[in-house]
Amino acid sequence: MNKEYRVLVHSPEETKGLAERLASYLQSGDVITLEGDLGAGKTCFTQGIARGLDIKDVVNSPTFTLIKEYQGKLPLYHMDVYRLENTLDDLGFDEYFYGDGVSVIEWASFIEDLVPQERLEVSIRHLGENMRKIIFTPKGERYIQLLKELLQDENISH
């Protein structure tokens, strides 16, 4: 059974701050999946990761382009696969997942069979106008250790 770690955030800036701290632990080839309702904060979370990777570009949802690439300390591959629901097309995702950067995939459940088994799953849930519950589920030893390091200073429940 996979352990879950929960964090409450009270503003978009707290969401970005948490993701920015996460970015400092990321390495080439890391995969983060993001799930949550529309408007829950998936892109906001990705913006925090980008900030933590010293990416200066404006990061917004790649809904209509599928994948956006950004350059920083590590490349960031931001994917929104919402429009791929019910498709089995392999669009070369492996080149990103096993490449030189960090892959962040919004709506990853739509391409579950293509996503690496080892990954960090992040689920963002609305609890109020600005309050969100962020649930981290590490899949694989790399992500278990990453979360232990990240969350030792956070207000965490599991």
Side-chain angles (χ1 to χ4, degrees), residues 20-32 46 48-57 59 68-78 96-97 99-104 142-143 146:
E20 182 177 4
R21 290 187 298 282
L22 170 65
S24 69
Y25 296 95
L26 295 176
Q27 302 173 354
S28 294
D30 280 344
V31 175
I32 299 168
T46 305
I49 290 174
R51 191 166 70 188
L53 294 176
D54 289 335
I55 292 169
K56 305 303 181 205
D57 297 327
V59 173
K68 289 188 177 180
E69 296 183 36
Y70 303 95
Q71 294 301 316
K73 286 190 239 180
L74 291 171
L76 173 63
Y77 312 126
H78 184 199
Y96 293 100
F97 299 154
D100 295 332
V102 173
S103 297
V104 176
R142 155 96 183 106
Y143 299 100
L146 183 151

Side-chain angles (χ1 to χ4, degrees), residues 31-35 103-109 115-116 119-123:
V31 175
I32 299 168
T33 63
L34 293 174
E35 299 288 341
S103 297
V104 176
I105 312 153
E106 296 187 28
W107 304 102
S109 59
V115 178
R119 61 188 182 249
L120 178 59
E121 294 180 348
V122 180
S123 176

